[in-house]
């Protein structure tokens, strides 16, 4: 995650303010990636806001042990001010989370461009970096739209996913989105380079 942070801070020669994270398919581990990356970003001493934009199956409130509402859906509907929905999860208060908020019948209807730009503008006044946990772009259409509003998007892919499936997602679902990288997740340790380092450490101890 620290290597990922370094790469993002120097992407295209400049740091990205907003980064969206999505999975090529459900259960790719994008929410865990977003949560850990946010914690690592906050280690730099910068203010970070992590947004749970998965209004179908939100999970960040469980990962951090915080209330699920009010949240993003409340802010988008004008029921709650952004500052009232942000929840502090670190000490000092460098990382704040905007949970998904109350369930709504049609989440896609809330993501109107003009409203989202206002919310993003308000977040920019509160944070040095924004990380948005988006639903799987492979199954939720509005993830593609959210991606166009981010400075960059990371695609999280499970190890073993066919390359042609990833190519389809990038071409069809992320067209027009600035895809800045791919995170390979759930790699079997026994088959990875990390296994040789673990073996070496055990031999030396």
């Amino acid at each position: 995650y620290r290597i990922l942070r370094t790469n993002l801070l120097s992407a295209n020669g400049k740091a990205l303010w907003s980064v969206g994270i999505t999975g090529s398919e459900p259960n790719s581990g994008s929410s865990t990636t977003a949560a850990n990356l946010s914690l690592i970003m906050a280690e730099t001493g910068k203010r970070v806001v992590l947004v749970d934009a998965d209004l179908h199956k939100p999970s960040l409130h469980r990962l951090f042990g915080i209330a699920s509402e009010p949240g993003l859906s409340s802010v988008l509907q004008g029921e709650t001010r952004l500052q009232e929905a942000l929840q502090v999860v670190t000490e000092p208060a460098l990382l704040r989370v905007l949970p998904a908020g109350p369930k709504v019948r049609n989440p896609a209807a809330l993501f109107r461009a003009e409203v989202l730009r206002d919310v993003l503008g308000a977040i920019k006044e509160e944070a040095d970096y924004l990380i948005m946990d988006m639903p799987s772009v492979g199954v939720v259409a509005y993830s593609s739209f959210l991606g166009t509003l981010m400075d960059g998007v990371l695609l999280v892919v499970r190890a073993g996913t066919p390359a042609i499936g990833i190519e389809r997602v990038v071409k069809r679902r992320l067209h027009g989105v600035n895809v800045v990288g791919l995170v390979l997740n759930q790699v079997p340790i026994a088959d990875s380079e990390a296994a040789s380092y673990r073996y070496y450490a055990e031999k030396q101890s």
Side-chain angles (χ1 to χ4, degrees), residues 22 30 56 58 69 101 113 142 155 161 188 190 201:
T22 184
S30 55
H56 291 276
E69 52 185 82
Y142 70 73
L155 181 64
T161 302

Side-chain angles (χ1 to χ4, degrees), residues 26-43:
N27 304 314
S28 297
S30 55
S31 294
T32 302
T33 300
N36 283 304
L37 179 60
S38 298
L39 288 165
I40 294 299
M41 294 289 278
E43 282 187 353

Side-chain angles (χ1 to χ4, degrees), residues 3-204:
I3 294 173
L4 186 58
R5 176 185 67 190
T6 300
N7 291 342
L8 288 173
L9 291 179
S10 58
N12 300 321
K14 65 177 183 178
L16 304 173
W17 175 70
S18 59
V19 177
I21 300 181
T22 184
S24 60
E25 55 189 8
N27 304 314
S28 297
S30 55
S31 294
T32 302
T33 300
N36 283 304
L37 179 60
S38 298
L39 288 165
I40 294 299
M41 294 289 278
E43 282 187 353
T44 64
K46 299 294 186 179
R47 301 169 302 159
V48 179
V49 166
L50 171 61
V51 176
D52 193 339
D54 189 343
L55 302 189
H56 291 276
K57 293 184 178 180
S59 60
L60 292 182
H61 63 284
R62 289 193 297 272
L63 287 175
F64 286 99
I66 59 176
S68 61
E69 52 185 82
L72 178 60
S73 63
S74 314
V75 175
L76 292 175
Q77 294 178 96
E79 297 173 349
T80 307
R81 294 176 61 249
L82 172 69
Q83 293 78 2
E84 297 169 348
L86 291 171
Q87 299 186 49
V88 176
V89 296
T90 59
E91 181 59 45
L94 292 172
L95 174 58
R96 289 179 290 173
V97 175
L98 179 63
K103 288 286 185 72
V104 293
R105 183 170 297 178
N106 183 11
L110 293 184
F111 292 104
R112 301 191 303 276
E114 64 277 9
V115 176
L116 273 170
R117 289 194 178 94
D118 287 344
V119 172
L120 292 177
I123 292 176
K124 197 159 192 174
E125 295 180 1
E126 300 285 333
D128 300 302
Y129 296 110
L130 162 66
I131 296 178
M132 182 175 286
D133 179 24
M134 307 188 305
S136 167
V137 72
V139 296
V140 178
Y142 70 73
S143 280
S144 302
F145 169 64
L146 290 175
T148 64
L149 301 178
M150 298 290 102
D151 293 337
V153 169
L154 283 173
L155 181 64
V156 181
V157 178
R158 284 188 299 186
T161 302
I164 191 169
I166 301 171
E167 185 178 358
R168 285 199 192 103
V169 166
V170 172
K171 286 184 176 179
R172 297 179 183 179
R173 298 284 187 162
L174 294 174
H175 179 71
V177 174
N178 181 27
V179 180
V180 294
L182 183 148
V183 177
L184 188 62
N185 198 20
Q186 301 177 27
V187 179
I189 293 295
D191 298 331
S192 71
E193 185 179 349
S196 62
Y197 286 102
R198 184 178 63 179
Y199 173 77
Y200 177 79
E202 289 171 353
K203 294 291 284 186
Q204 292 295 310

